[in-house]
Amino acid sequence: MGIANLMFPVLLFVNGVFGVETDQVEIRELMEGDSVILDTKCITKLHKDDEIVWKFGSVVIATIKANNPLLYDTNDARFKDKLQINDQTGDLTIRNTRTTHSGFYEVKITNITHTTHRRFSVTVLDAIPTKVSVTAGESAVLQHNIADIHIYDVIEWMFEDGETPIAQINKQNSKYPSYDGTDERFRDRLQLDQTGSLTITNTRTTDSGLYKLEVKGTNIPTKNRSFRVTVDEPGLSTGIVVLICVCVIALILVVVGICCRRRCRKGEHKRNEALKTGATGTFCSGNLGHITAVNLRGRMNRN
């Protein structure tokens, strides 16, 4: 019994030393220009013997050893002046993110008892709104690419700088969408489905503008999307009008070129005719002189 009691804490210690904890991959999604914090979560304060190693893919980008934080970079310098590591908790912050910061991040936390791994999949979305162009009378479908939309509680669509959602689903109150009845512009023309995609039916030119989607949930990061909608008047599209204008300009240039070429040829022809006429006149004058001289001699002989 005594030996068993002695062996039990030893086994626990050995299991802790060689134990490795790995969490599931956490999803981080944000817009370009925002900051993101990748947290170690399990650490309240680092001890001297604790080690932190952050990797982007297979490249080490930050470490803390013996309470000494160090930052590194990739060969293409994508993290230059953008990383910050908390020397108390080991949390890594990426500031002013770019789409090139999207990828797989992993932190290895080692102390005297065990090693912990945390993994993150970070997606940095382009801040440029998705463009949607339709002709007046058609439907405009604003379809996002948020894969885990079902885990969010609130889905809201805003138009331009409005503070009131034009369409929303609040699962805490109802699973059915609601619309802003005070906004006459969209009355009876909005359709919000359970996936969060918004359809504007029977569009008008006044529907052109910036539409913003925001999805929110409990203890999960908020996600945002934006769409730039352009509604053209019925008739020829802008692209076709531009093409027609280009063709007309090209045709005018061709006609002008042909006219200039003909004028040049005509001028050259006139010069050639003038040269020929001048040569003939000289020849004729000589002949007339010769003929006149012959006639005078004939008259003198007769006299």
Side-chain angles (χ1 to χ4, degrees):
M1 180 67 69
I3 295 176
N5 290 336
L6 287 173
M7 288 298 295
F8 181 73
V10 172
L11 289 173
L12 286 178
F13 177 76
V14 171
N15 183 56
V17 170
F18 294 98
V20 177
E21 299 178 11
T22 302
D23 291 343
Q24 293 183 344
V25 177
E26 294 193 24
I27 306 297
R28 295 285 191 274
E29 190 175 278
L30 63 152
M31 301 298 292
E32 192 174 44
D34 293 341
S35 297
V36 61
I37 299 176
L38 308 181
D39 57 289
T40 55
K41 187 179 285 188
C42 57
I43 296 179
T44 55
K45 186 177 180 180
L46 289 173
H47 298 287
K48 186 176 181 179
D49 295 329
D50 295 340
E51 290 188 0
I52 301 285
V53 178
W54 280 98
K55 287 184 178 182
F56 174 67
S58 60
V59 179
V60 175
I61 57 175
T63 61
I64 297 180
K65 295 180 180 180
N67 291 334
N68 181 31
L70 294 173
L71 299 176
Y72 306 92
D73 202 348
T74 55
N75 292 333
D76 56 5
R78 74 181 65 188
F79 292 104
K80 183 179 180 180
D81 301 327
K82 294 184 179 295
L83 296 179
Q84 180 180 351
I85 191 167
N86 188 315
D87 58 2
Q88 297 295 314
T89 63
D91 295 348
L92 183 69
T93 301
I94 310 171
R95 302 187 300 266
N96 190 22
T97 56
R98 293 290 178 264
T99 54
T100 53
H101 297 138
S102 297
F104 186 77
Y105 293 78
E106 182 177 15
V107 59
K108 180 181 178 182
I109 309 162
T110 305
N111 56 36
I112 60 174
T113 60
H114 64 286
T115 298
T116 301
H117 293 265
R118 296 204 69 204
R119 298 175 295 166
F120 301 85
S121 177
V122 176
T123 302
V124 182
L125 301 170
D126 196 331
I128 300 176
T130 301
K131 293 182 179 179
V132 177
S133 298
V134 295
T135 301
E138 297 178 345
S139 295
V141 180
L142 312 185
Q143 190 168 6
H144 59 80
N145 58 352
I146 302 176
D148 54 350
I149 190 73
H150 61 279
I151 69 173
Y152 288 87
D153 299 322
V154 180
I155 302 170
E156 292 183 343
W157 281 94
M158 314 289 285
F159 179 64
E160 293 290 353
D161 296 324
E163 297 181 356
T164 303
I166 59 173
Q168 67 174 340
I169 295 177
N170 190 334
K171 297 178 183 177
Q172 297 175 348
N173 300 327
S174 173
K175 64 179 181 178
Y176 299 104
S178 59
Y179 306 96
D180 181 13
T182 62
D183 194 335
E184 295 293 336
R185 290 172 299 182
F186 300 105
R187 181 177 291 276
D188 300 327
R189 294 192 301 115
L190 297 179
Q191 298 175 0
L192 178 60
D193 61 27
Q194 294 298 316
T195 68
S197 295
L198 181 68
T199 300
I200 310 168
T201 62
N202 191 23
T203 54
R204 306 165 185 170
T205 55
T206 53
D207 298 336
S208 298
L210 183 65
Y211 292 77
K212 293 170 286 188
L213 168 65
E214 183 177 77
V215 293
K216 296 176 286 188
T218 304
N219 298 325
I220 50 179
T222 299
K223 294 184 179 181
N224 297 274
R225 296 291 187 276
S226 59
F227 297 79
R228 175 68 65 180
V229 175
T230 301
V231 182
D232 296 321
E233 290 283 1
L236 295 178
S237 65
T238 303
I240 295 178
V241 171
V242 171
L243 180 60
I244 291 175
C245 291
V246 171
C247 292
V248 170
I249 293 173
L251 181 60
I252 292 173
L253 292 175
V254 170
V255 172
V256 171
I258 293 174
C259 291
C260 290
R261 190 173 181 182
R262 285 183 176 179
R263 184 172 296 178
C264 291
R265 286 183 175 180
K266 189 175 182 180
E268 184 178 353
H269 179 70
K270 286 183 177 180
R271 286 194 297 271
N272 292 335
E273 288 294 327
L275 291 173
K276 289 181 181 179
T277 303
T280 305
T282 302
F283 175 76
C284 291
S285 297
N287 289 344
L288 287 172
H290 175 71
I291 293 170
T292 302
V294 171
N295 289 338
L296 287 173
R297 290 193 197 100
R299 289 177 182 178
M300 290 176 65
N301 291 333
R302 285 196 297 271
N303 293 332

